[in-house]
Amino acid sequence: MRFQLLGPLSIAEGEDAVVLKPSKPASLLAALLIHPGSVVSTGYLLRALWDEDQPATARAALQSCVLRLRRLFTKYGVTGSAIEAVPGGYRMNADAGTLDLVRFRTLVRAADGLGDAESELYRLKEALTLWQGPLLANVPSPMLHRDEVPGLTEERLRALERACDIELALGRCRQVLVDVWEAARRHPGRERFSEQLIEALYRTGRQSEALTEYRSVKGRMKEELGIDPGPGLQRLELAILRGDDLGPAAVDRTVPLPGRTAVALTAGTARPELAAAPALASAPAAPPVPVPLPVPPVPSFTGRAAERAAINASLTSGASDGPGAPGGSGSQGAATVVVLSGAPGIGKTALALQSAHDCQDSFPGGVFVLTMTRPDGSSVTPAEAMADLPAPGAGAGRTLIVLDDVTTADQVRPLLPAAAGGAAVVTSRRGLAGLVATHGGTVHRLSTLDPEESQELLAAALGAGRVHAEPAAARELAGVCGHFPLSLRIAAARLLTRPGLRIEDCVAWLAEDLPARLSLADDPRMSVPHVFGRALHRLEPRWQQAFRQLGDQEGLLLSSRVLGDSAEAEEALERLADAGLLEEGPPGPYRIHQLLKIYARRQAREWNRDQTATAPH
């Protein structure tokens, strides 16, 4: 058994976790775990439970809470961690194996003693994965949220800053963009995140966006605080305006991690404490060589057996060729191209990454995974993507490139020489028929999972015991989710964080407001409406309006005349099908998935309401 404090307070055993209900015992447990192995005074615990509004019987009530907590431990089989009554208060021992907070701090301290940047980054990322959502979300203690949560959050942000510094130093500017983009938005008061974001934008060739971000930060600081940005941001703005080469990135030396001394780091440095590269060097530096990373398996991946086998066969077809053979590691022949297309949320990325994991041993030149769409929905240009790929012919063998969320064929074509003699897996909501016409390859148009595959995914995510306890409800849940992998994973995550919730009750709640309730509050990317919306908003306004009209059509099969008998109506349906919002098409009928139809109907209502609200009266 172990305790999870870095998120909703819970007790875990293996992959199963019980999230505690908001209560006084939960506040007591959190107060003890925040200070593992230390004597926590009675006065502190009383404030944690009642703040300054303590009843006359508070001390007796505290003893009662301790007894209730001990009974809770017995209920969940917690035997190795006991609450000790000691002079002046209570103490609860915990180590890295029983409490995530101790493990987080252990990993962060261990990162400082490692001899290279890669190992340090690995430890920091391992530590950061222990944070599982809003801190103490189910602990109803105002004092802990006021006095303790800010300090714990600071520890996480320092570790994240350090990890982002190292990634910048290693030249992985594009990979770090997602983390610093989110961090800069969530924590606008921390200048370092804004500085990292602006630097990453500039280093990836997006000078105008970097300057726009700087001016946004400067304007906010002026308006809210009446101050100018710090020296680091000002030097960065000047370097961007002059078009300076920033040289090797350096780790920020002004904010040390807890329990460590601040050091500088540059890419390729064996001992980070010996490096002292300036943040803004004037001498030009050689561009960093992209480094491939191992591709881990996709958690709880199930189904797609036929597609997975076919993709793997295509990718490994040239694996045994010698260096001089056609398609071998020494060949400059065309890359093997595999295109995965389909509706938003259908599981294209998961299948691509799982196949990359399956086949990575066949690509001694490495596997490179590039996301071709930015967090704001805009497309990455081919020139930007090339910075994260090896030069054509420069690798030590066949290379596999995964290009995820591609928007057009022209985004892919310039990148294929980097995979010459190897392979490229391309995921897109669009069919990319133009790419296949010019470069060949295989196309896999993914549909929803079949009922058995949906059950397998739920069992893998929730645990077989929970699904087998309510088999009929699990089947109904799969149906409500439309057998979309994304929907199923969202529903499973909701059930995992509510261990007392029956699957049957979850089905009823979801069905009341589809697809709006297929979303997770702490991660906007895990949201069916968000994913559908991103696909829709990439289209021209006239095609968006055509999609809204489909919500009121009868049935899921759509004739070619559903939007009217005109060339534009036919083009609209073709565009929607190419965007993954419809299936099939001429010579047969088009089909719309039930979830997408409900979404179209909701979009039409919202659009009509907005038009009415803005119409002149």
Side-chain angles (χ1 to χ4, degrees), residues 152-289:
L152 294 173
T153 302
E154 176 68 17
E155 292 187 48
R156 174 185 174 272
L157 294 180
R158 287 183 182 182
L160 180 58
E161 282 182 7
R162 177 70 181 180
C164 292
D165 276 339
I166 295 173
E167 288 208 276
L168 283 171
L170 292 172
R172 298 173 190 162
C173 300
R174 197 173 315 287
Q175 291 92 325
V176 82
L177 267 176
V178 174
D179 286 335
V180 293
W181 206 303
E182 181 179 7
R185 297 297 183 264
R186 287 179 178 249
H187 307 281
R190 297 183 74 93
E191 281 191 53
R192 183 56 190 154
F193 284 135
S194 296
E195 190 174 342
Q196 289 170 331
L197 173 57
I198 293 167
E199 181 179 344
L201 287 169
Y202 182 59
R203 286 182 182 276
T204 52
R206 296 155 68 177
Q207 182 178 8
S208 61
E209 291 179 68
L211 285 173
T212 299
E213 184 68 22
Y214 174 82
R215 287 161 186 161
S216 174
V217 172
K218 181 178 180 179
R220 184 181 65 245
M221 294 179 70
K222 274 286 189 183
E223 181 179 347
E224 297 179 2
L225 304 174
I227 61 175
D228 288 319
L233 277 171
Q234 292 186 35
R235 287 196 301 269
L236 188 56
E237 181 207 22
L238 182 60
I240 295 171
L241 289 172
R242 293 189 310 207
D244 289 349
D245 187 318
L246 299 187
V251 174
D252 178 26
R253 291 170 286 171
T254 62
V255 185
L257 291 174
R260 64 175 293 162
T261 56
V263 298
L265 173 67
T266 58
T269 303
R271 291 292 300 171
E273 62 268 28
L274 299 180
L280 298 174
S282 57
V289 178

Side-chain angles (χ1 to χ4, degrees), residues 379 406-413 428 430 432:
S379 298
V406 166
T407 55
T408 67
D410 287 338
Q411 205 183 12
V412 177
R413 290 189 182 103
S428 178
R430 306 185 66 179
L432 301 184

